[in-house]
Amino acid sequence: MSTNHLLEIKQYGQSIWMDNLSRDIIQSGELKDMVENQGISGITSNPAIFEKAIAGNVIYDADIETAVRANLPTDKIYESLVFADIRYACDILRPVYEASNRLDGYVSIEVPPTIAHDTEATITEARRYFQEIGRENLMIKIPGTEPGLPAVEQVIAEGMNVNITLLFSVESYVNTAWAYIRGLEKRLAEGKDISRIASVASFFLSRIDSNIDAKIDAKLKKGVDDISVEARLKAVKGKVAIANAKIAYQEYKKIIESDRWKALAEKGATVQRLLWASTSTKDPSYNDVMYIEELVGRDTVNTVPPATIKACADHCNVGDRLETDVDNAYTLIENLKDPDINIDLDAVMDELLVDGIDKFIQPFQSLMNSLEDKIKVLSPV
């Protein structure tokens, strides 16, 4: 029997979560098998994942019919389907949650992407989701937007687990880490236990390279007079996301060495781990598991879509590489400012955040539309 290379990753202090959830994999026993035998120790979901799972899938029809008969509106029907799947998944992962002393075993659900810029609405929905789903190993996903961070702080202070998502820049990650710390400090000041709260900071990868590679290709297509400049442009392709992630990890290390963090750790706080997201390689000329192989390291999570899970299990070359070539990572990022390369990384990150929210709003609205169509079909005449 061939080796499952995913199982080797855990020895380096990294957890593998799966970026996928549907009722099919719950009911077929596939999810249970992946958790028990294939090294999967958490689940992340988002509106795009649920759109794929629910739209055009008859497995949900009986529940939709029940909800229609109860006269539930479309948004409540959506929640009834999604919350049920999340509860099932939480229950399957509960043994991992307990065996890992609450480090792993989490299932993430996103608050509606339409409220990404509304702090109060985000807090209200996070509370409601956490209460209605009713599972300790639930993580609420909140976008790392400027209005999202005060929501993160408040939700942490209230004792909920949080997955801060759509982080692209190192600065946005650092801001997220301090929001987590402020939330814990606030909770501690109220005399409450901080040892049972977990958080991850979801730092995105492939979307960065896709964006920057397109910009480089456009420059090369225009034509570059100097052959050395052409070589330097080509050398940047497919390298920025991993370099950016390695620098973020160095910032993580500084944060956990801070006095403020150490004071919380003494009271039982758990570190907020960096979670590598968007880890399927978009360019077929690149190594299909490069966003896994290059970022294995202590106190991190990699959330991986099913096809990349299979690819990594088959042929990942696992090693502790997160802290290799760090100097080169800083140099590469700095070189983007060079007039010959001239890529504004901050502008790219801002663009990706706006685009990222849109990428969740569109499937969310599409799912609502397809649910409405199903409701019409399944409604009693």
Side-chain angles (χ1 to χ4, degrees):
M1 192 175 166
S2 60
T3 304
N4 176 353
H5 296 289
L6 281 173
L7 299 173
E8 298 167 16
I9 290 174
K10 195 163 191 175
Q11 71 195 45
Y12 296 102
Q14 182 176 84
S15 301
I16 297 292
W17 294 1
M18 180 165 67
D19 192 28
N20 185 48
L21 183 61
S22 70
R23 198 161 296 182
D24 299 64
I25 65 167
I26 291 165
Q27 290 190 353
S28 67
E30 184 184 343
L31 179 58
K32 194 166 190 283
D33 177 64
M34 294 186 89
V35 170
E36 290 178 355
N37 303 312
Q38 296 178 50
I40 300 303
S41 59
I43 293 282
T44 50
S45 67
N46 61 46
I49 283 169
F50 280 122
E51 187 206 15
K52 279 185 197 145
I54 295 171
N57 191 339
V58 296
I59 201 168
Y60 292 93
D61 284 3
D63 281 0
I64 294 171
E65 282 188 68
T66 303
V68 167
R69 282 199 297 274
N71 290 318
L72 292 183
T74 306
D75 60 333
K76 292 297 176 193
I77 293 176
Y78 159 77
E79 284 181 6
S80 71
L81 304 176
V82 167
F83 286 11
D85 284 1
I86 294 286
R87 285 187 202 104
Y88 288 134
C90 281
D91 292 346
I92 290 167
L93 279 149
R94 180 75 192 210
V96 175
Y97 175 74
E98 288 171 356
S100 66
N101 195 24
R102 301 184 299 278
L103 181 70
D104 283 313
Y106 293 95
V107 181
S108 294
I109 183 172
E110 190 128 8
V111 292
T114 46
I115 60 170
H117 298 292
D118 186 331
T119 304
E120 288 308 315
T122 298
I123 293 167
T124 300
E125 288 298 83
R127 281 182 191 133
R128 188 173 68 80
Y129 275 35
F130 209 75
Q131 195 170 5
E132 288 190 19
I133 292 169
R135 297 293 187 274
E136 272 183 64
N137 54 329
L138 176 72
M139 262 191 180
I140 304 292
K141 281 176 102 172
I142 296 175
T145 56
E146 205 174 310
L149 293 185
V152 167
E153 192 178 323
Q154 181 58 31
V155 165
I156 291 290
E158 291 183 20
M160 291 172 245
N161 308 307
V162 183
N163 175 343
I164 302 96
T165 186
L166 291 175
L167 302 174
F168 296 95
S169 72
V170 173
E171 183 187 10
S172 66
Y173 157 63
V174 171
N175 291 340
T176 288
W178 287 109
Y180 175 57
I181 286 169
R182 286 193 302 275
L184 290 175
E185 287 172 339
K186 191 173 174 183
R187 186 170 174 81
L188 195 60
E190 292 168 359
K192 293 174 181 168
D193 177 28
I194 58 168
S195 70
R196 300 182 71 84
I197 301 165
S199 179
V200 292
S202 291
F203 201 75
F204 279 55
L205 296 162
S206 65
R207 293 184 195 181
I208 294 173
D209 283 336
S210 296
N211 184 298
I212 289 174
D213 286 2
K215 286 177 168 57
I216 290 169
D217 287 341
K219 287 175 191 283
L220 292 169
K221 198 174 177 185
K222 268 189 194 171
V224 179
D225 296 335
D226 188 330
I227 205 159
S228 70
V229 172
E230 184 180 336
R232 288 175 66 209
L233 281 165
K234 286 180 176 173
V236 169
K237 284 189 71 175
K239 300 285 194 307
V240 175
I242 286 168
N244 198 46
K246 288 186 174 188
I247 292 168
Y249 188 73
Q250 293 306 307
E251 291 300 318
Y252 158 79
K253 286 175 69 185
K254 288 179 200 168
I255 290 163
I256 63 166
E257 283 303 310
S258 70
D259 290 341
R260 278 175 73 184
W261 173 254
K262 285 177 178 173
L264 292 168
E266 281 173 17
K267 300 289 185 183
T270 306
V271 291
Q272 181 194 60
R273 291 181 292 173
L274 268 160
L275 175 149
W276 313 126
S278 179
T279 54
S280 61
T281 310
K282 304 296 187 282
D283 187 326
S285 69
Y286 296 158
N287 172 1
D288 62 349
V289 290
M290 71 178 191
Y291 296 118
I292 303 178
E293 289 183 348
E294 294 301 318
L295 295 173
V296 173
R298 182 154 302 285
D299 294 330
T300 56
V301 180
N302 201 321
T303 184
V304 189
T308 312
I309 283 174
K310 282 182 183 152
C312 184
D314 177 65
H315 56 259
C316 256
N317 175 8
V318 178
D320 194 347
R321 297 189 184 91
L322 184 51
E323 294 198 79
T324 58
D325 295 325
V326 173
D327 289 345
N328 289 341
Y330 281 103
T331 303
L332 187 142
I333 298 297
E334 191 59 33
N335 285 348
L336 295 177
K337 298 172 188 170
D338 187 298
D340 290 332
I341 297 174
N342 191 27
I343 287 172
D344 184 343
L345 193 57
D346 291 337
V348 168
M349 300 310 187
D350 292 344
E351 188 184 324
L352 286 168
L353 178 58
V354 171
D355 186 49
I357 292 164
D358 198 44
K359 276 194 166 81
F360 288 154
I361 288 174
Q362 285 177 356
F364 182 74
Q365 290 176 334
S366 173
L367 173 54
M368 289 303 184
N369 293 339
S370 64
L371 262 181
E372 279 171 11
D373 292 341
K374 268 199 171 188
I375 289 163
K376 283 174 194 161
V377 171
L378 297 170
S379 292
V381 179

